[in-house]
Amino acid sequence: MTSMSAPPSEWDRLGNVHYHRRHLYSFSDVRIDGRNCAAAVNGGAFAVRSTAGKSANAAADSTRHAQQFTVYSASGVHLCDVAYQSSCELVAHGWTREELLVCVHGDGRVVVHDLGGRKVRDARLSFSRREDEEKSGARGGAAIVRCEVWGGGIVAETSAGAVFLVADVHTDAPRVTRTKEDASANSAISALHARVTPEGAAEAIFARGDSVFAAHERGVRSRRLAGGALIRLCASPSGRFLTVFTSLGKMLVVTADLSETATEFDAKSATPPEQVAWCGDDAAVMYWPTHLMIVGPHGNFISYAYDTPARLVSEVDGLRVITSRGHELISRVPDPVVAASRWALSSASSRAHFFRASLKDWRSFCRAASPSRRSVARALSLIHISEPTRLRRISYAVFCL
């Protein structure tokens, strides 16, 4: 390839495809350390948890904990503040696909707020059977020791070692389902995740030792993986793949039915990544405090440096990166755009001028090439921008291209 047919310099090559890292918004008063932030998918809002800890009235009641969150739109606009008292430590917080903030506590208490900071639900769910209580020694239900919020609810591990899926967590009748157990499993859970299958069903994904398990109400399947104990895992946005990181520094991508290992990559790191995620369905992502690494299907990778803590959000068409400084979107450049760029830069000056102008705003190019506005919407990144005066609904949306 000659220099005249090279893609734009702001694109990064990953094997035979290209990725584009774009700065969307700058922040001035957001403080993120990575673990204190949770963001909704599809370009939704994000919540930053305060490290207030015990209640200010700790002398009167040392068992009370002050839970405080600040909620921002994707552009960094302050939407609301959420504050309440709890008698047990917070285990996890995150967002449902309806953009409801879900906070889960160790005693089974689940508190749900909407984008306006209004409390939608506050209830204590039971995550155990009588034999679990006898095993754990806890009355009124085993304690939650690990939890993750997914688009349809939560997945939780209890002190008795059981795994539960909860759907419709924001309603008056949430569905609590205990997943099937593998009788051969005798080690502790080291990572927990939930995935939504292409058919729309939910299942718990978790790791025990060097094996990965996929469990739901009716059954469980498992597979032993080479490369050491499993430390991190994450499902792709479509639910078709899983990425796992092992104690020997290996990153593996396996199919969701656990039948095949699609990619094996040596990260050459003795320290596990703080987060694993996906950039669309094409590339797995690992994040350390100083950089993130995007790995393609054939073991090619791109590395981006970060000097501030970040929160990664897997999207169906890319990866959102939220830091105290701002909001970024990393996404694959569509193949037709790459082809048009090469053709424009290697053609006669008149056609080159036309396509250089088109590439600056290729939204029009995509609309003209697509017979359906719906297909265009599926192909592009939708970032919600919520106006503070209309918090109950998304006021408008922009395509970040």
Side-chain angles (χ1 to χ4, degrees):
M1 180 186 298
T2 65
S3 60
M4 286 300 293
S5 61
S9 59
E10 65 268 22
W11 296 353
D12 297 298
R13 190 182 185 97
L14 182 64
N16 58 355
V17 300
H18 295 80
Y19 281 78
H20 190 189
R21 180 187 186 185
R22 286 163 285 187
H23 180 79
L24 302 180
Y25 307 108
S26 296
F27 301 153
S28 58
D29 59 351
V30 178
R31 297 293 177 265
I32 292 174
D33 67 13
R35 292 177 294 273
N36 70 339
C37 176
V41 297
N42 299 325
F46 63 94
V48 179
R49 183 193 180 199
S50 168
T51 56
K54 290 290 183 67
S55 169
N57 193 25
D61 186 357
S62 60
T63 65
R64 305 296 290 177
H65 301 269
Q67 307 298 340
Q68 300 177 14
F69 301 87
T70 304
V71 179
Y72 301 90
S73 71
S75 60
V77 175
H78 176 263
L79 298 182
C80 69
D81 294 303
V82 172
Y84 65 93
Q85 296 290 324
S86 67
S87 59
C88 193
E89 289 283 1
L90 183 75
V91 177
H93 69 288
W95 295 84
T96 68
R97 54 177 166 260
E98 296 87 4
E99 284 195 278
L100 297 173
L101 177 62
V102 178
C103 301
V104 184
H105 298 267
D107 57 0
R109 184 186 179 193
V110 178
V111 184
V112 183
H113 290 82
D114 64 13
L115 276 177
R118 289 173 286 271
K119 187 179 293 185
V120 175
R121 181 171 174 78
D122 187 350
R124 183 171 281 103
L125 303 181
S126 176
F127 290 93
S128 68
R129 302 176 302 184
R130 178 172 298 178
E131 52 265 38
D132 293 333
E133 296 183 16
E134 294 174 353
K135 180 178 178 180
S136 64
R139 294 190 175 184
I144 296 177
V145 296
R146 192 191 305 266
C147 181
E148 181 173 310
V149 181
W150 55 283
I154 62 176
V155 58
E157 177 199 359
T158 70
S159 55
V163 176
F164 289 82
L165 278 168
V166 183
D168 302 325
V169 69
H170 59 287
T171 67
D172 292 333
R175 293 180 286 119
V176 181
T177 302
R178 177 171 176 149
T179 63
K180 290 289 185 180
E181 297 182 16
D182 191 321
S184 63
N186 54 11
S187 56
I189 291 178
S190 57
L192 180 66
H193 192 67
R195 84 171 184 109
V196 178
T197 67
E199 296 74 29
E203 63 180 9
I205 307 294
F206 54 92
R208 291 181 186 271
D210 60 358
S211 298
V212 60
F213 297 79
H216 46 79
E217 183 179 13
R218 297 178 302 279
V220 59
R221 61 187 184 278
S222 64
R223 181 185 173 191
R224 187 174 182 180
L225 300 175
L230 309 185
I231 302 175
R232 303 276 188 270
L233 59 83
C234 180
S236 67
S238 70
R240 297 190 300 123
F241 299 99
L242 303 174
T243 181
V244 299
F245 189 88
T246 75
S247 59
L248 299 181
K250 304 284 187 180
M251 189 214 74
L252 308 175
V253 174
V254 299
T255 54
D257 61 4
L258 308 183
S259 64
E260 181 183 352
T261 298
T263 304
E264 182 174 339
F265 177 80
D266 188 353
K268 294 181 171 60
S269 173
T271 304
E274 287 189 357
Q275 302 172 57
V276 291
W278 282 83
C279 186
D281 239 38
D282 303 308
V285 183
M286 297 174 287
Y287 168 80
W288 288 268
T290 57
H291 67 286
L292 67 78
M293 186 178 294
I294 301 177
V295 182
H298 305 295
N300 309 96
F301 69 93
I302 303 170
S303 184
Y304 294 116
Y306 286 89
D307 57 6
T308 57
R311 167 55 61 181
L312 308 186
V313 187
S314 304
E315 298 284 11
V316 69
D317 60 349
L319 174 75
R320 292 163 59 205
V321 183
I322 303 174
T323 71
S324 297
R325 294 182 177 177
H327 195 161
E328 294 180 351
L329 176 68
I330 303 172
S331 60
R332 177 176 170 176
V333 181
D335 294 339
V337 176
V338 177
S341 171
R342 289 172 175 167
W343 181 55
L345 294 173
S346 61
S347 301
S349 59
S350 59
R351 285 184 293 175
H353 175 75
F354 172 78
F355 276 97
R356 284 193 185 99
S358 298
L359 287 170
K360 291 181 180 179
D361 185 4
W362 54 271
R363 288 171 291 189
S364 300
F365 178 82
C366 290
R367 292 191 185 100
S370 174
S372 168
R373 293 181 63 186
R374 182 175 299 178
S375 65
V376 172
R378 285 197 300 264
L380 306 180
S381 298
L382 185 63
I383 301 296
H384 298 326
I385 309 297
S386 301
E387 294 178 352
T389 56
R390 297 178 65 187
L391 297 177
R392 298 195 65 181
R393 61 184 66 180
I394 299 301
S395 304
Y396 62 97
V398 295
F399 289 113
C400 296
L401 303 174

